[in-house]
Structure formats: structure tokens, C-alpha cells
Amino acid sequence: MIACVIALTTLLASISAAAEPQIAAPAAPKPEAATPTAPAPEMSAPGGPAPGMPATGMPATSYERTEQREPCADYRPLRQPLFGDLHVHTSLSFDSYISSQRNTPADAYRYARGEAITLPDADANQVIKARIQRPLDFTAVTDHAEFLGPIRLCTSPDSGMARWFPGCIATRSELFPVQFLAADYWQGLGVSGDEEVKEQSMVCSLGDCDAAHREAWQQIQDAAEEHYDRSADCQFTTFIGYEYTDAPNFANLHRNVIFRNERVTDIAISTYDTGSRNVPELWRRLRSECIDGDQGCDVLAIPHNPNLSAGLMFPDPASEEEARARLFFEPLVELVQHKAASECRFDRLLGRGVATEDELCDFEQAPADNLSMLGTVYGEMRAETGEMVPVDKFARRNMVRNVLKDGLKLEASSGINPFKLGFIGSTDTHSATPGGAEEDNYTGHLGRRDAGYRNIQDHFFDNPGGLAVVWAEENSRDSVFEAMRRREAYATSGT
């Protein structure tokens, strides 16, 4: 069944992708692809060679090399499938920490590489051993950019008076009801509002949130570097990233920002920097501070869960510039993860769907159209906006198939298709367990909330998530990133 669904979506994407050349970055054009018999080019960053990089020993490639590393022994010009997870949260994220989850970015990478980590049980005791059966090929830790600084102040033993701010005390609490109060405080402060200027937590008046943000951002970068295999074995690839977490009135507009290499922006750009309902400002900041700023910096933004966006994830572009920015920065969409699927929607009982007649589109559908669907606790929906939305009132562009079709219509009228999308799956784990979607080895994704399968029982329509699969020549950052850029990827549901 799933193979049929994925095949239909892939066909639509192929038609869409063939309609228009890909949009290039505003930087200097890349050199022509080297032929297999040509001498190996020097490793270079966009705009010129990087000093100190070797000029020999690297195989000729169809993509530009931007980093210093040994050539992969397993290099396949015709490409190979590599399996990964590009949506992973650790204890640096507010909603992971308040679920008694204490694993760090380094721990998440250890798990992805096949090592065991410890998770909390239903009583917040750190006793559950978790280990993936088949290590991943690549992973990005994508902690929420919002509150990286405040959460670090709240949880660090040396943060002085900031640590004793009541919101911080609630964040560190192991009492289940208090953890829910902490969750409500953080999301209400800087995630679910639609203000142009977000309100800072009071903890920032007791400590330096900007400095703490940079410390956490550096920790994410250091963990990625520590676990990136730059040897010829090429066993594991990491990407530096974070999640941009805008959800005005709980309409999910989240993006996972993934950098190509170690050259990244000075901070993890968040809704505190752009205001709410302003994803184009995120693209502008990424362009000025990465693409046009730091030589060799390259970046993607991957939207996820349009099924919970209340129809706001894929609006018509306001201008040609905005359409081209979307094409460049967002070549992929996360089609499947633990908060259900976003491909298409059909109600078998009613015999109709959201702009589809495909009966196979009843697969893993959340009943609500926004993030309030997470408000079911102990079998009861605690959020008014989390109630079921009838199929006839479900926003058309919450479903990616409809987005692809509408992109073709926009191209016919404007000459540009802004919605040429490739697909990936991921987990959105908040337990630092990338790729933890194995049916016979599933420990949940929300720390103690999933221990004892409490949360799973509240959300039978959810799933463990899936994986991102890319076709790449080798398991290196440049090769995998280029596969994402050209949309040569697909999503799995589960493993």
C-alpha cells in the first residue's frame, strides 16, 4: 500500500521537477561537473579554493567539494542509497528536557552509530536502555533554536540566580503535572504566539541568554564534528542543524535548517529574530548570513508536518523573489514523522478525501489540523483546538500531493512553480534516538511521556516516524547534501 502511495507522489514530483530548471544560489556559478576520466579537482569552497586542502587523491565528482577530509573508499559514481534522520531533539530542546530526557547531542550521535543510551521510565528514572539495531548512515541534531539560551541557563548548575527563576524550577521538575505547566509556559512564550516581536523569558533578565544561546549552538557544532567520520571509512556523516519553530495559534510552520558543512551562521536564527508568520525573513537571513556571507556556507530549510499547519505552510508566493527563494532553500519536505503523515488524506467512512479520491490516503492521519493534536492526555483531549477537523474543512494544502498539483497550476499562470518538492521521512524524536523507528525495538519519542506507551495510547494515529533516504556517491557531507539539493531522496514509514 505504502509503495503505491509513494510511487504516485514521486510521479507528481517528477512531472513538477521537469517543468523548470533548478534555481541556483546567488553565489558564483559552480564549475562544470568533472567527467569520470578527468583528473581529480582540488577541494574547494564556493568562490575559490580553500587553503590547505589537498589537490590529489580525491575522485572526480559531479558535485563541488567544500570540506577537508579523506576520500571515501566506497565511492560509487552511479550512487547508492544512504539512510538517515534529519529531525532529532535532545536535552537542549525545552520539550525534550521537560520530559525528563537528559541525553545530549553527542549522545544522540552515539545512538545513531549503534551505541546504547539511557532513557527515562514513566517515573522519570533513567533506567531504560535504548539501542538501534542497524546504525544510520547520517544524522542531524535539530534542537529548537527558540530557548537554546534560556534552557541552558535553567539547566546549568553554574548559572547563578537564573537557575532559580520559577520557570526554570518547573522545567527541572520530575513531577508530571509540573512538567506540563513548564511546557505550557515555554510554548506560550515564544512558539504558539503570532507576535512580530516575541516576549523574552524573565530568565534572560537574570542571566545572559545570548551568551548561553551561543554556548549551546557551539555544543551542537562540536558534537557534529566529534562524530563526523572524516576518514576513508566514511561510516557516519553528521550535519549541523536546528529547528526553526514558528507555530502561530498552533499552526505548524516549523523548518529544520541543515547546513552543508562546518561553516554556519553565528547563531541559530529563530522566530525571535524573524517574528512569527515570516518564513521569508528566515530565508533572507540565511541568504545574507550564510549563502552571501560566510564563504563556503550552504544551507537548506526543510518544512515538516504541513498536515498540522492549518493550511499556512505553503501559501502562494507574494512575489517572484519569494517564489525563487522557496525553490532554492526548500527543495525537500518531511513527508512522514511521528506526528502522522502529510501526503494525502481520505476518509473511508465518508467516501471522500481532501482533493483526492485515493482510498489509500487513509494512512496515519491525525484528526486535527494543528499542533494542538498533542493535547490528548490520559485519553482526553485537553485542548479545544485539538479536536477533530472534518475532511471537508481540512485545508487543501495541508496535504503535499495537493501542493504539488497547485504548484503546476501556479507555473501555468506565473511561469514559476514554487512547490517542486522532494521527500524525506524522519522521526522528530525528542528522546535523542535518531532512526528509532524499528517496530520490534521502539522506545517512544517523548521521553517519559512515551514510557509505558502512555502517549502512544493517546495517539493511535501516530507512528514511530520514518527515515530520510538519499542517493549519493559516498557518505560525506558534500555528497549527501547535494543529493538533498537535487531532490534525489525519498521517505520511509518506519524502517
Side-chain angles (χ1 to χ4, degrees), residues 48-67:
M53 289 188 174
T56 61
M58 302 297 288
T61 67
S62 59
Y63 56 88
E64 189 172 15
R65 295 191 182 275
T66 68
E67 58 174 349

Side-chain angles (χ1 to χ4, degrees), residues 318-331:
S319 64
E320 178 179 339
E321 178 186 14
E322 185 175 307
R324 294 187 180 279
R326 182 185 289 277
L327 271 171
F328 177 71
F329 285 106
E330 300 193 353

Side-chain angles (χ1 to χ4, degrees), residues 156-211:
S156 297
D158 58 354
S159 57
M161 287 297 296
R163 179 177 172 83
W164 302 109
F165 169 61
C168 290
I169 296 173
T171 297
R172 296 194 306 274
S173 174
E174 302 291 7
L175 298 175
F176 201 55
V178 177
Q179 290 178 333
F180 272 99
L181 291 175
D184 187 64
Y185 168 71
W186 291 114
Q187 65 81 15
L189 184 68
V191 175
S192 62
D194 59 0
E195 304 89 357
E196 184 175 342
V197 179
K198 300 277 189 178
E199 180 185 357
Q200 289 281 0
S201 171
M202 187 177 293
V203 71
C204 296
S205 65
L206 303 174
D208 190 338
C209 281
D210 290 340

Side-chain angles (χ1 to χ4, degrees), residues 373-395:
M373 53 79 73
L374 292 170
T376 301
V377 182
Y378 297 127
E380 181 181 346
M381 173 54 69
R382 311 297 173 120
E384 181 179 345
T385 53
E387 298 293 344
M388 184 182 73
V389 175
V391 67
D392 296 330
K393 295 184 178 180
F394 212 81

Side-chain angles (χ1 to χ4, degrees), residues 268-302:
I269 300 166
S270 76
T271 55
Y272 277 89
D273 305 300
T274 66
S276 188
R277 298 177 184 260
N278 201 358
V279 172
E281 179 62 19
L282 170 67
W283 300 333
R284 284 189 285 270
R285 290 283 299 263
L286 291 174
R287 186 180 296 280
S288 64
E289 297 175 34
C290 174
I291 301 297
D292 293 343
D294 188 0
Q295 186 183 53
C297 185
D298 201 355
V299 65
L300 299 175
I302 305 176

